[in-house]
């Protein structure tokens, strides 16, 4: 008999985390635990208000699916009981973990891969702030090879970006506008990004108002984030974006994330693998998708005041495969 446990956890952020839509001081996550035949599998998700999700809603969706889950629902049936959002992610990842624990095989072997995931270099995120504050943050993080910069305030972002580049002259930069720019501002902002050596710009325009990207010449690759969810919407991104940011909370789990990555590569799109601010339990399954990504942004635990024990080991910006006690 399988037992399902669903619980809410709050993890303090070190300081605060600010994007163009607001700030937060804690990561609110939902953890799914499955117990069966003495084995325990876990998965974690982050309900995201941008997509109409709430903690109560995610937990209620999982509770509604409890009879099917506890009756032995497999990964192939998850799509029948949950939407491709955060709740499905937590359940899908818990099922992968449970299978790994029951079989005694790590998830990478279950996927038919010949070796464990190698260490990855993750971006490190700088929250949106004043130009001077972001310069200071960049100076403190200048030893990191890849910085992700939260912007989204239009023309004033040019000053911020120049300040950040002054603070971290050698780091590669990714800009994440979080839908905060306007079509008429875009050419000048992208030109500045190219001038300052930015390697990618995430979601510069609102997901529902990104038509200006069609046919636009740009020196910096543009990546879909809020516009990209699962395979069903992939066709709408072609001709607008050069890359997609795959997040398991958007795809509805590892199963769909792997399928989306394969489909996106077949269409010639670059891959970025990202995360919400959350613990190592969320990062571990995403690492299996990130092994083939051009850009890895799995720094969620680095932004927390504390992480799970045991958690993923970070050495600077290098992240290592999760211990099996954590996941997989």
């Amino acid at each position: 008999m399988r037992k399902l446990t669903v619980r809410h956890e709050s993890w303090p952020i070190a300081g605060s985390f600010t994007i163009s839509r607001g700030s937060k001081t804690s990561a609110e996550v939902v953890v799914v635990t499955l117990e069966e035949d003495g084995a325990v599998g876990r998965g974690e998700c982050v309900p995201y208000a941008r997509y109409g999700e709430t903690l109560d809603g995610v937990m209620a969706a999982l509770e509604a699916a409890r009879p099917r889950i506890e009756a032995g629902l497999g990964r192939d049936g998850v799509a029948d009981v949950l939407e491709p959002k955060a709740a499905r992610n937590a359940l899908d990842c818990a099922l992968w973990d449970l299978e790994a624990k029951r079989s005694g095989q790590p998830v990478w072997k279950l996927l038919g891969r010949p070796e464990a995931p190698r260490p990855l270099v993750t971006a490190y995120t700088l929250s949106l702030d004043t130009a001077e504050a972001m310069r200071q943050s960049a100076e403190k993080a200048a030893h990191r090879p890849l910085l992700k910069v939260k912007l989204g305030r239009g023309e004033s972002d040019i000053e911020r970006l120049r300040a950040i580049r002054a603070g971290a002259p050698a780091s590669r930069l990714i800009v994440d506008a979080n839908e905060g720019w306007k079509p008429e501002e875009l050419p000048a902002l992208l030109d500045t990004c190219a001038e300052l050596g930015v390697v990618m710009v995430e979601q510069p325009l609102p997901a529902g108002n990104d038509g200006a990207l069609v046919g636009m010449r740009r020196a910096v690759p543009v990546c879909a984030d809020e516009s990209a969810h699962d395979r069903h919407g992939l066709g709408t991104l072609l001709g607008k974006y050069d890359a997609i940011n795959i997040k398991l909370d958007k795809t509805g789990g590892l199963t769909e994330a792997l399928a989306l990555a394969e489909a996106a590569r077949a269409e010639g799109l670059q891959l970025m693998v990202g995360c919400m601010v959350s613990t190592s339990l969320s990062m571990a399954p995403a690492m299996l998708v990130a092994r083939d990504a051009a850009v890895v942004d799995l720094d969620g635990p680095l932004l927390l005041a504390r992480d799970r024990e045991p958690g993923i080991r970070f050495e600077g910006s290098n992240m290592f495969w999760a211990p099996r006690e954590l996941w997989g």
Side-chain angles (χ1 to χ4, degrees):
M1 179 67 180
R2 179 187 293 171
K3 178 184 176 183
L4 166 69
T5 303
V6 180
R7 70 177 183 275
H8 162 225
E9 296 178 353
S10 183
W11 293 82
I13 291 173
S16 64
F17 184 76
T18 302
I19 65 174
S20 60
R21 284 190 289 270
S23 299
K24 60 182 180 179
T25 57
S26 64
E28 306 299 324
V29 307
V30 174
V31 176
V32 166
T33 302
L34 300 175
E35 300 177 56
E36 188 172 8
D37 297 334
V40 179
R42 296 186 301 163
E44 177 181 296
C45 72
V46 180
Y48 199 37
R50 169 62 181 82
Y51 306 125
E53 296 178 303
T54 64
L55 285 165
D56 288 345
V58 165
M59 296 178 76
L62 288 161
E63 289 296 341
R66 177 182 291 276
R68 293 279 302 277
I69 295 169
E70 293 192 331
L73 181 76
R75 289 194 313 278
D76 57 353
V78 170
D80 296 332
V81 298
L82 291 168
E83 293 183 275
K85 292 185 178 181
R88 188 196 290 183
N89 175 33
L91 177 59
D92 182 71
C93 291
L95 286 166
W96 275 108
D97 190 30
L98 181 64
E99 183 176 346
K101 298 299 196 301
R102 293 185 67 187
S103 67
Q105 299 289 315
V107 172
W108 57 267
K109 280 193 175 180
L110 297 178
L111 289 168
R113 295 180 174 175
E115 58 184 16
R118 297 182 298 275
L120 300 171
V121 176
T122 180
Y124 180 79
T125 303
L126 304 182
S127 288
L128 179 63
D129 209 324
T130 65
E132 176 58 20
M134 294 188 80
R135 182 191 65 77
Q136 293 177 14
S137 295
E139 284 184 346
K140 293 176 183 176
H143 63 286
R144 296 184 182 273
L146 181 62
L147 298 178
K148 176 172 170 174
V149 180
K150 290 289 188 179
L151 298 178
R153 296 286 168 81
E155 291 182 0
S156 63
D157 284 339
I158 292 177
E159 180 186 2
R160 290 184 179 89
L161 195 51
R162 293 190 185 283
I164 291 159
R165 176 50 82 199
S171 300
R172 296 166 66 222
L173 299 180
I174 309 163
V175 164
D176 185 0
N178 281 119
E179 305 181 276
W181 292 351
K182 299 176 182 177
E184 60 270 22
E185 300 169 332
L186 196 54
L189 288 163
L190 289 178
D191 286 347
T192 300
C193 288
E195 173 194 341
L196 296 175
V198 172
V199 299
M200 184 176 286
V201 174
E202 270 188 86
Q203 199 67 46
L205 302 178
N209 188 28
D210 56 1
L213 293 171
V214 176
M216 176 182 287
R217 294 178 64 252
R218 58 257 187 159
V220 181
V222 176
C223 178
D225 183 359
E226 286 84 353
S227 291
H229 293 266
D230 58 12
R231 282 173 293 171
H232 298 297
L234 187 59
T236 65
L237 307 179
L238 303 180
K240 296 179 183 177
Y241 295 96
D242 308 294
I244 62 168
N245 187 349
I246 298 175
K247 295 178 180 175
L248 273 62
D249 278 316
K250 295 189 301 176
T251 65
L254 175 61
T255 303
E256 177 60 23
L258 291 167
L260 175 58
E262 182 178 358
R265 282 195 300 269
E267 294 290 355
L269 293 169
Q270 296 180 50
L271 298 185
M272 176 178 181
V273 175
C275 65
M276 307 302 186
V277 182
S278 46
T279 79
S280 285
L281 184 56
S282 285
M283 304 306 118
M287 288 185 72
L288 290 163
V289 189
R291 57 178 282 167
D292 298 318
V295 174
V296 177
D297 178 29
L298 296 177
D299 64 341
L302 296 177
L303 305 176
L304 298 176
R306 58 183 177 85
D307 190 17
R308 297 186 186 279
E309 291 289 347
I312 289 172
R313 179 166 61 93
F314 288 84
E315 293 182 2
S317 293
N318 293 306
M319 59 188 307
F320 294 80
W321 178 237
R324 294 202 63 199
E325 299 93 329
L326 175 71
W327 187 88

